[in-house]
Structure formats: C-alpha cells, structure tokens
Amino acid sequence: MLLLAAAGLVAFVLLLYMVSPLISPKPLALPGAHVVVTGGSSGIGKCIAIECFKQGAFITLVARNEDKLLQAKKEIEKHSINDKQVVLCISVDVSQDYSQVENVIKQAQEKLGPVDMLVNCAGTSLTGKFEELEVSSFEKLMSINYLGSVYPSRAVITTMKERRVGRIVFVSSQAGQLGLFGFTAYSSSKFAIRGLAEALQMEVKPYNVYVTVAYPPDTDTPGLAEENKTKPLETRLISETTGICKPEQVAKQIVKDAIQGNFNSSIGSDGYMLSSLTCGMAPVTSITEGLQQVVTMGLFRIIALFYLGSFDNIIRRCMVQKAKSETVDKTA
C-alpha cells in the first residue's frame, strides 16, 4: 500500500514537471528588445543594464545624475555584441512628477521603439529607530521607492497591453519580505511594492505582460555603503548574519527571472526560503513552483523561528550593553 502511494506521488510530481512548461509564459527575447532601467547609473541597475546589453538589448538608462549616467553608458557600451546596439541616457527624477516621467518614456520610445522590459531599480535607504527618524524620512522613502516605481510603470503599461508583450520588474529587497530593526521606513516602502506588483500582475496577465518582483539581499553597491554610515548597531549585527552579494550575481538572476516571466526573483538559499515563507497569495509561474512552496513551508517556518530568536537575542544584548555603558558614564 505504501509502495503504491509512493509510486502515485512520484507519478504526480513527474506529471507536474511535464505540464508546467505548458502553462508558463513564453520567454522574452532580449536581442533587439528595448529595456528601460531606472536607477541605472550605478549598483544593481547598472549591472542589469550590462546583462541585458550583453544579450543584445537596446538600453535606456534613467537616473538623476548626468555625469554618472554618461560614465555608466561608456561602461555598458563595452559589452556590445553588435554595432547596432544603442545606450540612451535620460536624466530625470522618476519620483517627483509623473508628467516628466511620461515625457521621457515617450522620448525613449520614439528613439528606440516600444519598451519591452522596464526595470524599476531607482531607490534609496534610510535606517534608524522608529522614534528617531524624521517623519519626512518616511515620506521621502515612499516617494522614491514606491512612487518612483509607480510612475515609470504607469508610463509604459498601456503600450505593453496594446502590443500584448512586456515585462515589468520591481526591485524590492529582502527587507520587503521581513521587517527588521532599524528599517521601519525602508521596509514599509519595499513592502508596498509587492502589493502593487501582485495587483498589477492580475490586471496585465491576460495581455501577456508579466511582472517580476526581485528581493535581493545586502549587495555590494554604493547604496549599501551609504546605508552603513547610519545603520544602528542592532541592524548591522542582524545584517551580518548573512553574506553580501555581488551586484553582477544579483543582476543575472533578476534578468533570468524577468525573461522567463517569473513573478518572484530571489537570490541564494536564504532568499529562496524567504520567498517560500512569504509567498501567501502571490502568483506562481508554474504548478511545480506552487508544489515546492507547499512542501517546504513547514520546514522553512521552523528554521525561520530560529532566525527570529537569534535576532531577538542580538537586540537584547545590545540593550544590555547600552545600559551598562550608561551606568559607567553616570558613575564616572
């Protein structure tokens, strides 16, 4: 009886693997495609642009700093695979004025054709305890990290639906899956991206347009270096429990998942576990993906409880250390 049940389970899994490709979206061909990358002058955004350029895409880089844009353009152009490829640079703040964003997207489409893939990578981070952060910090991060993704997406979505082809990528963060000490402003802005992405995917899927949300871990970028300058001790110690990824590694995974039309893009074993734990009602690209989430959920929850316990211990140790320091200062 047990052998029969085991055989049935194996047959069911094999059937899922066979059927899965039939319901997965058709991969997007990057050669000749027009890819727009916001926040593309440095970090993960620049590496995504390079990865797409290596595969034959035409690139529009969007960022605020013109000097950094031109420097990134020269670096990206070194990776061309044919003499027809173009890198277009447009300087604009994607989080301030929708009409400006809409206009620059129109300019890009007039020069390089309709946008086939949009990568929303513009973002920033501010860390600190909730009561110590200025209220303006919450407004700033929601503007840059959330509205800075809404505006470009709104500017390209109509054409994508009309053409019935397209990819929209939102670069969130593992802090958009798990709220951590010191990230009350940052995490909330990154969590918001997921809600936007899930709702948008449901709207555009019938038009063969697919949304990808990427959850990179700490990545060796100028943004992380800036974040570390003000990161509370507790936040820094928690962050050190995992490694730091190279932006090239993160970019390759994001581009691969976007091409395939995967809703979720995670990096490494921790990223895979977090994505399974937080999948909730998120869409899946294949039956196999859904089955994997069901099977691994219980085990990953047990592991997660150990992680949460270790984070709580770090915070308690920091509190004790601070209390001892204050006592010494008073008696000195």
Side-chain angles (χ1 to χ4, degrees), residues 3 26 41 46 73 94 110 113 120 132 138 151 159 163 173 175 177 199 214 237-238 277 285 301 316:
L3 288 175
K26 182 180 178 181
S41 62
K46 183 177 71 173
K73 172 183 167 74
V94 295
E110 288 170 0
N120 292 292
E132 294 175 359
F138 291 83
Y151 293 165
T159 303
R163 297 174 63 228
S173 164
Q177 297 173 295
L237 292 174
I238 290 172
L277 279 170
T285 311
R301 179 56 178 164
R316 281 194 292 268

PDB file of all heavy atoms in Angstrom, residues 3 26 41 46 73 94 110 113 120 132 138 151 159 163 173 175 177 199 214 237-238 277 285 301 316:
ATOM      1  N   LEU A   3       3.968   1.422  -0.999  1.00  0.00           N
ATOM      2  CA  LEU A   3       4.665   1.499  -2.284  1.00  0.00           C
ATOM      3  C   LEU A   3       3.759   2.088  -3.355  1.00  0.00           C
ATOM      4  O   LEU A   3       4.204   2.882  -4.200  1.00  0.00           O
ATOM      5  CB  LEU A   3       5.152   0.107  -2.708  1.00  0.00           C
ATOM      6  CG  LEU A   3       6.338  -0.471  -1.929  1.00  0.00           C
ATOM      7  CD1 LEU A   3       6.625  -1.897  -2.388  1.00  0.00           C
ATOM      8  CD2 LEU A   3       7.573   0.407  -2.141  1.00  0.00           C
ATOM      9  N   LYS A  26       5.805  32.464 -22.358  1.00  0.00           N
ATOM     10  CA  LYS A  26       6.860  32.338 -23.351  1.00  0.00           C
ATOM     11  C   LYS A  26       7.991  33.294 -22.993  1.00  0.00           C
ATOM     12  O   LYS A  26       7.755  34.465 -22.708  1.00  0.00           O
ATOM     13  CB  LYS A  26       6.313  32.659 -24.736  1.00  0.00           C
ATOM     14  CG  LYS A  26       7.325  32.512 -25.856  1.00  0.00           C
ATOM     15  CD  LYS A  26       6.701  32.859 -27.196  1.00  0.00           C
ATOM     16  CE  LYS A  26       7.742  32.747 -28.315  1.00  0.00           C
ATOM     17  NZ  LYS A  26       7.153  33.117 -29.639  1.00  0.00           N
ATOM     18  N   SER A  41      22.336  54.137 -13.271  1.00  0.00           N
ATOM     19  CA  SER A  41      23.673  54.721 -13.350  1.00  0.00           C
ATOM     20  C   SER A  41      24.677  54.048 -12.424  1.00  0.00           C
ATOM     21  O   SER A  41      25.886  54.301 -12.522  1.00  0.00           O
ATOM     22  CB  SER A  41      23.616  56.216 -13.035  1.00  0.00           C
ATOM     23  OG  SER A  41      23.145  56.432 -11.710  1.00  0.00           O
ATOM     24  N   LYS A  46      22.767  49.330 -12.917  1.00  0.00           N
ATOM     25  CA  LYS A  46      23.791  49.350 -13.973  1.00  0.00           C
ATOM     26  C   LYS A  46      24.153  47.931 -14.392  1.00  0.00           C
ATOM     27  O   LYS A  46      24.315  47.652 -15.586  1.00  0.00           O
ATOM     28  CB  LYS A  46      25.037  50.098 -13.490  1.00  0.00           C
ATOM     29  CG  LYS A  46      26.122  50.228 -14.560  1.00  0.00           C
ATOM     30  CD  LYS A  46      27.308  51.034 -14.072  1.00  0.00           C
ATOM     31  CE  LYS A  46      28.121  50.285 -13.049  1.00  0.00           C
ATOM     32  NZ  LYS A  46      29.368  51.011 -12.687  1.00  0.00           N
ATOM     33  N   LYS A  73      27.073  54.721 -19.217  1.00  0.00           N
ATOM     34  CA  LYS A  73      26.876  54.483 -20.655  1.00  0.00           C
ATOM     35  C   LYS A  73      28.159  53.953 -21.303  1.00  0.00           C
ATOM     36  O   LYS A  73      28.131  52.969 -22.043  1.00  0.00           O
ATOM     37  CB  LYS A  73      26.447  55.787 -21.332  1.00  0.00           C
ATOM     38  CG  LYS A  73      26.389  55.746 -22.857  1.00  0.00           C
ATOM     39  CD  LYS A  73      26.027  57.123 -23.396  1.00  0.00           C
ATOM     40  CE  LYS A  73      26.258  57.227 -24.890  1.00  0.00           C
ATOM     41  NZ  LYS A  73      25.233  56.498 -25.653  1.00  0.00           N
ATOM     42  N   VAL A  94      12.502  60.130 -11.214  1.00  0.00           N
ATOM     43  CA  VAL A  94      11.294  59.361 -11.519  1.00  0.00           C
ATOM     44  C   VAL A  94      10.257  59.396 -10.405  1.00  0.00           C
ATOM     45  O   VAL A  94       9.156  58.856 -10.561  1.00  0.00           O
ATOM     46  CB  VAL A  94      11.628  57.891 -11.842  1.00  0.00           C
ATOM     47  CG1 VAL A  94      12.448  57.791 -13.121  1.00  0.00           C
ATOM     48  CG2 VAL A  94      12.356  57.217 -10.677  1.00  0.00           C
ATOM     49  N   GLU A 110      10.335  56.885 -28.919  1.00  0.00           N
ATOM     50  CA  GLU A 110      10.488  57.469 -30.251  1.00  0.00           C
ATOM     51  C   GLU A 110      11.848  57.138 -30.853  1.00  0.00           C
ATOM     52  O   GLU A 110      11.984  56.980 -32.070  1.00  0.00           O
ATOM     53  CB  GLU A 110      10.310  58.992 -30.178  1.00  0.00           C
ATOM     54  CG  GLU A 110       8.863  59.426 -29.944  1.00  0.00           C
ATOM     55  CD  GLU A 110       8.746  60.912 -29.641  1.00  0.00           C
ATOM     56  OE1 GLU A 110       9.812  61.593 -29.608  1.00  0.00           O
ATOM     57  OE2 GLU A 110       7.623  61.392 -29.442  1.00  0.00           O
ATOM     58  N   GLY A 113      12.069  52.604 -29.963  1.00  0.00           N
ATOM     59  CA  GLY A 113      10.915  51.731 -30.131  1.00  0.00           C
ATOM     60  C   GLY A 113      10.200  51.456 -28.821  1.00  0.00           C
ATOM     61  O   GLY A 113      10.646  51.890 -27.749  1.00  0.00           O
ATOM     62  N   ASN A 120      12.423  48.701 -12.689  1.00  0.00           N
ATOM     63  CA  ASN A 120      12.339  49.770 -11.690  1.00  0.00           C
ATOM     64  C   ASN A 120      13.371  49.521 -10.599  1.00  0.00           C
ATOM     65  O   ASN A 120      13.140  48.756  -9.667  1.00  0.00           O
ATOM     66  CB  ASN A 120      10.934  49.804 -11.078  1.00  0.00           C
ATOM     67  CG  ASN A 120       9.881  50.245 -12.074  1.00  0.00           C
ATOM     68  OD1 ASN A 120       9.846  51.386 -12.502  1.00  0.00           O
ATOM     69  ND2 ASN A 120       9.007  49.311 -12.447  1.00  0.00           N
ATOM     70  N   GLU A 132      13.346  57.907  16.207  1.00  0.00           N
ATOM     71  CA  GLU A 132      14.457  58.812  15.921  1.00  0.00           C
ATOM     72  C   GLU A 132      14.474  59.288  14.473  1.00  0.00           C
ATOM     73  O   GLU A 132      15.160  60.259  14.142  1.00  0.00           O
ATOM     74  CB  GLU A 132      15.784  58.128  16.266  1.00  0.00           C
ATOM     75  CG  GLU A 132      15.940  57.854  17.759  1.00  0.00           C
ATOM     76  CD  GLU A 132      17.202  57.060  18.078  1.00  0.00           C
ATOM     77  OE1 GLU A 132      17.945  56.713  17.120  1.00  0.00           O
ATOM     78  OE2 GLU A 132      17.450  56.791  19.272  1.00  0.00           O
ATOM     79  N   PHE A 138      10.054  59.047   6.159  1.00  0.00           N
ATOM     80  CA  PHE A 138       9.039  58.105   5.685  1.00  0.00           C
ATOM     81  C   PHE A 138       8.433  58.596   4.368  1.00  0.00           C
ATOM     82  O   PHE A 138       8.214  57.816   3.443  1.00  0.00           O
ATOM     83  CB  PHE A 138       7.948  57.929   6.742  1.00  0.00           C
ATOM     84  CG  PHE A 138       8.415  57.211   7.978  1.00  0.00           C
ATOM     85  CD1 PHE A 138       9.064  57.892   8.998  1.00  0.00           C
ATOM     86  CD2 PHE A 138       8.220  55.844   8.116  1.00  0.00           C
ATOM     87  CE1 PHE A 138       9.506  57.228  10.126  1.00  0.00           C
ATOM     88  CE2 PHE A 138       8.658  55.171   9.242  1.00  0.00           C
ATOM     89  CZ  PHE A 138       9.310  55.868  10.250  1.00  0.00           C
ATOM     90  N   TYR A 151       5.357  55.497 -11.225  1.00  0.00           N
ATOM     91  CA  TYR A 151       5.317  56.427 -12.364  1.00  0.00           C
ATOM     92  C   TYR A 151       5.866  55.815 -13.662  1.00  0.00           C
ATOM     93  O   TYR A 151       5.182  55.873 -14.702  1.00  0.00           O
ATOM     94  CB  TYR A 151       6.067  57.715 -12.016  1.00  0.00           C
ATOM     95  CG  TYR A 151       5.410  58.552 -10.937  1.00  0.00           C
ATOM     96  CD1 TYR A 151       6.114  59.576 -10.302  1.00  0.00           C
ATOM     97  CD2 TYR A 151       4.092  58.339 -10.545  1.00  0.00           C
ATOM     98  CE1 TYR A 151       5.525  60.362  -9.314  1.00  0.00           C
ATOM     99  CE2 TYR A 151       3.500  59.106  -9.557  1.00  0.00           C
ATOM    100  CZ  TYR A 151       4.216  60.116  -8.939  1.00  0.00           C
ATOM    101  OH  TYR A 151       3.633  60.888  -7.964  1.00  0.00           O
ATOM    102  N   THR A 159       1.020  50.790 -23.595  1.00  0.00           N
ATOM    103  CA  THR A 159       1.617  50.278 -24.829  1.00  0.00           C
ATOM    104  C   THR A 159       1.891  48.786 -24.739  1.00  0.00           C
ATOM    105  O   THR A 159       1.689  48.037 -25.699  1.00  0.00           O
ATOM    106  CB  THR A 159       2.934  51.025 -25.132  1.00  0.00           C
ATOM    107  OG1 THR A 159       2.673  52.422 -25.208  1.00  0.00           O
ATOM    108  CG2 THR A 159       3.532  50.565 -26.450  1.00  0.00           C
ATOM    109  N   ARG A 163       0.323  45.974 -27.244  1.00  0.00           N
ATOM    110  CA  ARG A 163       1.188  45.093 -28.026  1.00  0.00           C
ATOM    111  C   ARG A 163       1.096  43.647 -27.553  1.00  0.00           C
ATOM    112  O   ARG A 163       1.589  42.740 -28.210  1.00  0.00           O
ATOM    113  CB  ARG A 163       2.641  45.566 -27.932  1.00  0.00           C
ATOM    114  CG  ARG A 163       2.894  46.930 -28.514  1.00  0.00           C
ATOM    115  CD  ARG A 163       4.327  47.383 -28.256  1.00  0.00           C
ATOM    116  NE  ARG A 163       5.284  46.494 -28.907  1.00  0.00           N
ATOM    117  CZ  ARG A 163       6.357  45.974 -28.314  1.00  0.00           C
ATOM    118  NH1 ARG A 163       6.596  46.216 -27.026  1.00  0.00           N
ATOM    119  NH2 ARG A 163       7.184  45.189 -28.975  1.00  0.00           N
ATOM    120  N   SER A 173      13.452  44.226  -1.945  1.00  0.00           N
ATOM    121  CA  SER A 173      14.562  43.886  -1.064  1.00  0.00           C
ATOM    122  C   SER A 173      14.105  42.763  -0.142  1.00  0.00           C
ATOM    123  O   SER A 173      12.899  42.559   0.041  1.00  0.00           O
ATOM    124  CB  SER A 173      14.959  45.112  -0.227  1.00  0.00           C
ATOM    125  OG  SER A 173      15.760  44.758   0.876  1.00  0.00           O
ATOM    126  N   ALA A 175      14.294  43.097   2.807  1.00  0.00           N
ATOM    127  CA  ALA A 175      13.612  43.909   3.822  1.00  0.00           C
ATOM    128  C   ALA A 175      12.190  44.235   3.398  1.00  0.00           C
ATOM    129  O   ALA A 175      11.434  44.837   4.163  1.00  0.00           O
ATOM    130  CB  ALA A 175      14.390  45.199   4.083  1.00  0.00           C
ATOM    131  N   GLN A 177      10.351  41.661   2.501  1.00  0.00           N
ATOM    132  CA  GLN A 177       9.724  40.390   2.871  1.00  0.00           C
ATOM    133  C   GLN A 177       9.685  40.207   4.377  1.00  0.00           C
ATOM    134  O   GLN A 177       8.843  39.484   4.903  1.00  0.00           O
ATOM    135  CB  GLN A 177      10.512  39.219   2.256  1.00  0.00           C
ATOM    136  CG  GLN A 177      10.531  39.197   0.746  1.00  0.00           C
ATOM    137  CD  GLN A 177      11.465  38.130   0.209  1.00  0.00           C
ATOM    138  OE1 GLN A 177      12.681  38.192   0.399  1.00  0.00           O
ATOM    139  NE2 GLN A 177      10.901  37.150  -0.477  1.00  0.00           N
ATOM    140  N   ALA A 199      -1.199  43.114  -7.497  1.00  0.00           N
ATOM    141  CA  ALA A 199      -2.427  43.626  -8.105  1.00  0.00           C
ATOM    142  C   ALA A 199      -2.238  43.875  -9.601  1.00  0.00           C
ATOM    143  O   ALA A 199      -3.109  43.556 -10.420  1.00  0.00           O
ATOM    144  CB  ALA A 199      -2.853  44.917  -7.402  1.00  0.00           C
ATOM    145  N   ALA A 214      11.823  41.421  -7.480  1.00  0.00           N
ATOM    146  CA  ALA A 214      13.118  40.906  -7.041  1.00  0.00           C
ATOM    147  C   ALA A 214      13.363  41.296  -5.590  1.00  0.00           C
ATOM    148  O   ALA A 214      13.074  42.420  -5.177  1.00  0.00           O
ATOM    149  CB  ALA A 214      14.229  41.460  -7.923  1.00  0.00           C
ATOM    150  N   LEU A 237      24.388  44.176  13.128  1.00  0.00           N
ATOM    151  CA  LEU A 237      24.664  42.815  13.595  1.00  0.00           C
ATOM    152  C   LEU A 237      23.705  41.803  12.969  1.00  0.00           C
ATOM    153  O   LEU A 237      24.103  40.678  12.638  1.00  0.00           O
ATOM    154  CB  LEU A 237      24.580  42.756  15.117  1.00  0.00           C
ATOM    155  CG  LEU A 237      25.673  43.518  15.875  1.00  0.00           C
ATOM    156  CD1 LEU A 237      25.396  43.499  17.378  1.00  0.00           C
ATOM    157  CD2 LEU A 237      27.053  42.935  15.576  1.00  0.00           C
ATOM    158  N   ILE A 238      22.447  42.190  12.824  1.00  0.00           N
ATOM    159  CA  ILE A 238      21.481  41.295  12.174  1.00  0.00           C
ATOM    160  C   ILE A 238      21.860  41.088  10.711  1.00  0.00           C
ATOM    161  O   ILE A 238      21.817  39.969  10.192  1.00  0.00           O
ATOM    162  CB  ILE A 238      20.051  41.861  12.295  1.00  0.00           C
ATOM    163  CG1 ILE A 238      19.577  41.771  13.752  1.00  0.00           C
ATOM    164  CG2 ILE A 238      19.095  41.104  11.376  1.00  0.00           C
ATOM    165  CD1 ILE A 238      18.264  42.476  14.008  1.00  0.00           C
ATOM    166  N   LEU A 277       8.420  31.209   2.350  1.00  0.00           N
ATOM    167  CA  LEU A 277       7.712  31.545   3.584  1.00  0.00           C
ATOM    168  C   LEU A 277       6.691  32.658   3.389  1.00  0.00           C
ATOM    169  O   LEU A 277       5.650  32.682   4.035  1.00  0.00           O
ATOM    170  CB  LEU A 277       8.717  31.978   4.657  1.00  0.00           C
ATOM    171  CG  LEU A 277       9.444  30.872   5.414  1.00  0.00           C
ATOM    172  CD1 LEU A 277      10.563  31.460   6.253  1.00  0.00           C
ATOM    173  CD2 LEU A 277       8.469  30.102   6.304  1.00  0.00           C
ATOM    174  N   THR A 285       4.390  30.947 -11.435  1.00  0.00           N
ATOM    175  CA  THR A 285       4.584  30.820 -12.879  1.00  0.00           C
ATOM    176  C   THR A 285       4.336  29.397 -13.352  1.00  0.00           C
ATOM    177  O   THR A 285       4.054  29.162 -14.518  1.00  0.00           O
ATOM    178  CB  THR A 285       6.021  31.250 -13.250  1.00  0.00           C
ATOM    179  OG1 THR A 285       6.292  32.507 -12.641  1.00  0.00           O
ATOM    180  CG2 THR A 285       6.177  31.401 -14.754  1.00  0.00           C
ATOM    181  N   ARG A 301       9.436  27.310   8.067  1.00  0.00           N
ATOM    182  CA  ARG A 301       8.899  28.071   9.196  1.00  0.00           C
ATOM    183  C   ARG A 301       9.674  27.737  10.472  1.00  0.00           C
ATOM    184  O   ARG A 301       9.961  28.635  11.282  1.00  0.00           O
ATOM    185  CB  ARG A 301       7.411  27.765   9.385  1.00  0.00           C
ATOM    186  CG  ARG A 301       6.757  28.495  10.557  1.00  0.00           C
ATOM    187  CD  ARG A 301       6.932  29.995  10.459  1.00  0.00           C
ATOM    188  NE  ARG A 301       6.265  30.701  11.553  1.00  0.00           N
ATOM    189  CZ  ARG A 301       6.490  31.959  11.882  1.00  0.00           C
ATOM    190  NH1 ARG A 301       7.372  32.679  11.202  1.00  0.00           N
ATOM    191  NH2 ARG A 301       5.844  32.517  12.894  1.00  0.00           N
ATOM    192  N   ARG A 316      18.476  42.175  22.426  1.00  0.00           N
ATOM    193  CA  ARG A 316      18.576  42.188  23.895  1.00  0.00           C
ATOM    194  C   ARG A 316      20.007  42.440  24.352  1.00  0.00           C
ATOM    195  O   ARG A 316      20.251  43.190  25.303  1.00  0.00           O
ATOM    196  CB  ARG A 316      18.048  40.868  24.473  1.00  0.00           C
ATOM    197  CG  ARG A 316      16.522  40.793  24.545  1.00  0.00           C
ATOM    198  CD  ARG A 316      16.077  39.637  25.422  1.00  0.00           C
ATOM    199  NE  ARG A 316      16.402  38.352  24.818  1.00  0.00           N
ATOM    200  CZ  ARG A 316      15.573  37.674  24.031  1.00  0.00           C
ATOM    201  NH1 ARG A 316      14.378  38.166  23.765  1.00  0.00           N
ATOM    202  NH2 ARG A 316      15.939  36.507  23.522  1.00  0.00           N
TER     203      ARG A 316
END
